[in-house]
Amino acid sequence: MPEGASAPAVPAVIGDSEFDRDTAVTRRAPGVYDIDLSAGWTIISAVNGGYLLAVLGRALADTLPHPDPFTITAHYLTASHPGPAVVRTETVRTGRTLSTGQASLYQYDDHGNEVERIRVLASYGDLADLPDDVRTTAAPPAIPPLERCFGAEDGPAPVEGSSAIADRLMLRLDPSTLGWALGAPSGKGEMRAWFGLADGRDADPLSLLLAVDALPPTAFEIGLKGWVPTVELTVHVRHRPAPGPLRISITTRNLAGGFLEEDAEVWDSEDRLVAQSRQLARVRLG
Amino acid sequence: MPEGASAPAVPAVIGDSEFDRDTAVTRRAPGVYDIDLSAGWTIISAVNGGYLLAVLGRALADTLPHPDPFTITAHYLTASHPGPAVVRTETVRTGRTLSTGQASLYQYDDHGNEVERIRVLASYGDLADLPDDVRTTAAPPAIPPLERCFGAEDGPAPVEGSSAIADRLMLRLDPSTLGWALGAPSGKGEMRAWFGLADGRDADPLSLLLAVDALPPTAFEIGLKGWVPTVELTVHVRHRPAPGPLRISITTRNLAGGFLEEDAEVWDSEDRLVAQSRQLARVRLG
């Protein structure tokens, strides 16, 4: 493994890891969950959108009779900050194989009033119940082996300021999507990386919600600088991921009018397309 | 133009057309809209999901301070039927350039109780305010000219029963995605067509919501038969469409576990990628 990137001697496990502790919600009442949003999943000062989606996803998993998000959409309304938050969930419909729910995350203004940060609409099912019929025609991304990819520790910090999330992740970028970090963006809206959690915890359906929003923006490779805030993010979780690192490939093909889309595919160690997502994000042009 | 497919002598216009009349909602009170869902947009006996999304989209456009759906997600909970329905909308947040809203469509059970059919979460903006900076790298689909494509009137009805929606649309399928109608599906998850409204009305942002769900299922070309119900549909409307027919290209790459995704791209006559959508749908295997 690359120097400085050794897996911990005893890897964390699903249920007992940084990700689980930092996305844990405490049920105060039916449909009401408290959490202290961690400062450990920020990029510069912004709390990562995928981490936030995983928090909401965990609350919904507790509320609904089905455990796994099959399709989950979030609209990001106002910027979240580390600190106290409350998630309020609603059961929209329960069915035999699918249930639908809604959830909102709120934080508090200076007067203690709740301000909505994110609203989510999602349908859940049980991935374990799906037939094992796979006719996927998509193919895993062409990404070099992990040891030939590069992480933050391999070079100077490409962005100023705190990127606490970098310490939570094992992220190794494809060198062909790293030009931005060396002042030479490729001009192509692509980003590819190997992805895992720094404490060694394997992926699960909830951590896939983090994974799809954990890579640097494709905008950087297009040559744009600055923040690319997510307006909306929709994730389809299609299969429980196998243990081991994930490969994530993100593509942007429609940068226009001050917006762009990022399409992410997440592949597991068994070459399964375990999640697909699309987000609509705002860019600063020029 | 193909025989039997002449445009009307006086084309309908945006605001005065079958589509506008059949998606019109009557505001009964703030956030409460009534409609009689038309039987004219059914495929077999199911009311088309894109038509339903356009109805909800129109109600939200009335509720919110911004006119155009930028990103809109619908979860289809129970099957809708022609007849009375009510749409209830909620403003989630209003901003300078974007507003977010939520909407639900209900119909009535035998006791007159409201049963939720669809729930929607959407962010709206004003397409006219977007800068004209276009860096789209996607390319329009390779589809033969309209006169070399084929519509329902060119062959025997491929599906039994009423398909009233066929009379509302000008739909001309790419012959290379028509094998299913001739008993020889290609095996590839693709569907391509020229699309317009039968009465000649040009496309607008709301009719794009119909367009992305108006083609036959890619599942037919994969060789599957039967209904492919939509669980969730998310549409990004990225530009006001130019007048004239649209080209729609739909792709499925991840048929697995009894579900598939359909990715649709909608291109206008000026070669702009005016809308992108992804839906998650259930398939019957075997």
Side-chain angles (χ1 to χ4, degrees):
Chain A
M1 296 196 73
E3 183 180 319
S6 317
V10 180
V13 295
I14 295 170
D16 186 8
S17 72
E18 289 185 310
F19 174 78
D20 295 291
R21 280 187 295 277
D22 291 345
T23 57
V25 292
T26 305
R27 194 197 316 152
R28 189 205 308 172
V32 185
Y33 303 84
D34 294 305
I35 181 170
D36 207 69
L37 293 178
S38 167
W41 304 83
T42 54
I43 177 86
I44 318 297
S45 56
V47 183
N48 173 264
Y51 162 74
L52 292 167
L53 184 60
V55 169
L56 283 137
R58 198 177 286 289
L60 274 171
D62 183 82
T63 297
L64 297 173
H66 293 93
D68 304 313
F70 275 28
T71 169
I72 179 164
T73 292
H75 284 241
Y76 295 84
L77 311 169
T78 55
S80 296
H81 305 291
V86 59
V87 177
R88 298 180 180 281
T89 63
E90 174 195 344
T91 300
V92 176
R93 177 177 184 269
T94 61
R96 189 175 54 83
T97 57
L98 288 178
S99 298
T100 302
Q102 181 180 309
S104 293
L105 184 145
Y106 303 84
Q107 290 190 295
Y108 305 94
D109 67 14
D110 295 340
H111 308 283
N113 301 315
E114 290 185 10
V115 180
E116 191 168 3
R117 298 290 191 221
I118 304 161
R119 188 169 292 205
V120 160
L121 181 55
S123 288
Y124 275 54
D126 193 329
L127 291 168
D129 286 345
L130 298 184
D132 203 37
D133 185 273
V134 177
R135 306 191 212 183
T136 306
T137 56
I143 182 171
L146 191 146
E147 58 273 13
R148 298 225 308 267
C149 294
F150 298 96
E153 67 278 1
D154 294 308
V159 284
E160 295 178 3
S162 161
S163 294
I165 195 174
D167 296 333
R168 308 278 85 73
L169 307 179
M170 183 290 291
L171 198 63
R172 298 280 180 280
L173 267 60
D174 183 334
S176 68
T177 66
L178 250 182
W180 59 274
L182 306 167
S186 69
K188 295 199 276 185
E190 300 177 359
M191 194 64 62
R192 288 180 290 278
W194 289 88
F195 174 95
L197 294 166
D199 64 8
R201 174 203 195 270
D202 285 319
D204 74 348
L206 281 182
S207 76
L208 294 178
L209 305 184
L210 163 74
V212 297
D213 193 50
L215 269 57
T218 54
F220 286 3
E221 272 292 79
I222 293 172
L224 302 172
K225 299 186 197 303
W227 197 30
V228 188
T230 303
V231 174
E232 168 263 325
L233 167 62
T234 294
V235 189
H236 291 177
V237 179
R238 301 294 308 275
H239 199 272
R240 176 164 223 91
L246 305 170
R247 283 156 292 166
I248 303 177
S249 176
I250 307 186
T251 309
T252 291
R253 297 162 63 248
N254 194 16
L255 165 59
F259 287 83
L260 60 76
E261 94 292 10
E262 281 200 4
D263 282 1
E265 292 187 354
V266 183
W267 295 82
D268 75 2
S269 58
E270 294 182 359
D271 281 349
R272 281 227 159 136
L273 180 48
V274 294
Q276 292 170 273
S277 72
R278 174 174 291 159
Q279 66 172 272
L280 184 71
R282 277 214 246 211
V283 288
R284 273 191 317 202
L285 300 173
Chain B
M1 300 198 72
E3 185 181 314
S6 317
V10 180
V13 295
I14 295 170
D16 185 10
S17 72
E18 291 187 308
F19 175 78
D20 294 291
R21 282 189 292 279
D22 291 344
T23 57
V25 291
T26 304
R27 194 196 316 151
R28 187 207 308 171
V32 186
Y33 303 83
D34 294 304
I35 181 171
D36 207 68
L37 293 178
S38 166
W41 304 84
T42 53
I43 177 86
I44 319 295
S45 57
V47 182
N48 174 263
Y51 161 73
L52 292 167
L53 185 59
V55 169
L56 284 137
R58 197 178 287 290
L60 274 171
D62 184 82
T63 298
L64 296 173
H66 293 93
D68 304 312
F70 274 29
T71 168
I72 180 164
T73 292
H75 283 240
Y76 295 83
L77 311 170
T78 56
S80 296
H81 305 291
V86 59
V87 178
R88 297 180 182 282
T89 64
E90 174 195 345
T91 300
V92 176
R93 177 178 184 268
T94 62
R96 191 175 54 84
T97 57
L98 289 179
S99 298
T100 302
Q102 183 179 309
S104 292
L105 184 145
Y106 303 84
Q107 290 190 295
Y108 305 93
D109 67 15
D110 294 339
H111 308 283
N113 300 315
E114 289 185 10
V115 180
E116 192 169 2
R117 298 290 191 220
I118 304 161
R119 188 169 292 204
V120 160
L121 182 55
S123 287
Y124 276 53
D126 193 330
L127 291 168
D129 285 346
L130 298 185
D132 203 37
D133 184 274
V134 177
R135 306 192 211 183
T136 306
T137 56
I143 181 172
L146 192 147
E147 59 271 13
R148 297 226 306 268
C149 294
F150 297 95
E153 66 279 2
D154 295 308
V159 284
E160 294 179 3
S162 161
S163 294
I165 196 174
D167 296 332
R168 308 277 87 71
L169 306 180
M170 182 290 291
L171 200 63
R172 297 279 179 281
L173 267 61
D174 182 334
S176 68
T177 65
L178 251 179
W180 59 274
L182 306 166
S186 69
K188 294 198 274 185
E190 299 178 359
M191 193 65 61
R192 287 181 290 278
W194 290 88
F195 174 95
L197 295 166
D199 65 7
R201 175 202 195 272
D202 285 320
D204 74 348
L206 280 183
S207 76
L208 293 179
L209 305 184
L210 163 73
V212 297
D213 193 50
L215 269 59
T218 54
F220 286 4
E221 272 292 81
I222 292 172
L224 303 172
K225 299 187 198 303
W227 197 32
V228 189
T230 304
V231 174
E232 169 264 323
L233 168 62
T234 293
V235 190
H236 292 178
V237 178
R238 300 294 308 273
H239 199 272
R240 175 164 224 91
L246 304 171
R247 283 156 291 166
I248 302 176
S249 177
I250 306 186
T251 309
T252 291
R253 298 161 64 247
N254 194 16
L255 165 60
F259 287 83
L260 60 75
E261 95 293 9
E262 280 200 4
D263 281 2
E265 292 188 355
V266 184
W267 295 83
D268 75 1
S269 60
E270 294 183 358
D271 281 350
R272 283 225 156 140
L273 180 48
V274 294
Q276 292 170 272
S277 72
R278 174 174 291 161
Q279 65 172 273
L280 183 70
R282 276 213 249 211
V283 289
R284 276 193 314 207
L285 302 172

